[in-house]
Amino acid sequence: MNVLVIDGMGGGIGKSIIEHIKNERGDAVKITAVGTNSIATSAMLKAGADFGATGENAVVYNCAKADFIIGVTGIAFANSMCGEVSPAMAAAVSASPAHKILVPIDKCNVTVLGLVEKPVQAYINDIAKRLAKN
């Protein structure tokens, strides 16, 4: 299973996602961490990602190869995350045949109605459960 985790800013959410997946699934999952910046990539690699890359081309390239794409809702929207997600990145996430698992974060200027409001960590716990179904 090839999982792509995309994060920006300081990489904190991506780091937490990777730590949780590695705790739950171990080496059964290969995780590629792609940061919109080098700080985010570094944080995710320290969390245990198997591979890491940074920037727009890395997002575009790895989205085409992923079975799952995991990140905050903003990774699917151009110019979100304070402009860190380029239109090409958002298009690559949206067009990828990979299954997307997105954590709803209001800071991305996107609100998904109908969701139960809960802490980010609760959504991260749900990610490993979702991966275990496949």
Side-chain angles (χ1 to χ4, degrees):
M1 183 182 309
N2 184 14
V3 174
L4 173 61
V5 178
I6 303 172
D7 200 7
M9 308 289 207
I13 292 176
K15 176 181 182 246
S16 294
I17 290 169
I18 291 167
E19 288 172 343
H20 195 78
I21 292 171
K22 285 296 187 176
N23 268 348
E24 294 289 319
R25 302 295 310 266
D27 290 333
V29 176
K30 293 298 177 201
I31 299 176
T32 300
V34 176
T36 60
N37 61 65
S38 60
I39 295 169
T41 303
S42 178
M44 292 188 287
L45 282 168
K46 288 177 185 173
D50 299 291
F51 310 99
T54 302
E56 180 178 88
N57 192 62
V59 170
V60 172
Y61 176 78
N62 285 289
C63 279
K65 301 183 343 172
D67 297 316
F68 289 87
I69 298 173
I70 301 174
V72 298
T73 50
I75 66 172
F77 295 93
N79 302 313
S80 66
M81 296 169 58
C82 297
E84 286 193 26
V85 177
S86 72
M89 291 172 165
V93 169
S94 298
S96 173
H99 184 92
K100 288 93 174 163
I101 302 174
L102 304 177
V103 178
I105 302 291
D106 287 345
K107 294 177 187 172
C108 297
N109 294 331
V110 176
T111 301
V112 180
L113 297 177
L115 295 176
V116 176
E117 285 194 41
K118 54 186 177 180
V120 172
Q121 191 58 46
Y123 284 113
I124 292 171
N125 293 341
D126 292 345
I127 291 169
K129 291 175 191 169
R130 177 65 188 182
L131 289 176
K133 291 180 181 180
N134 294 300

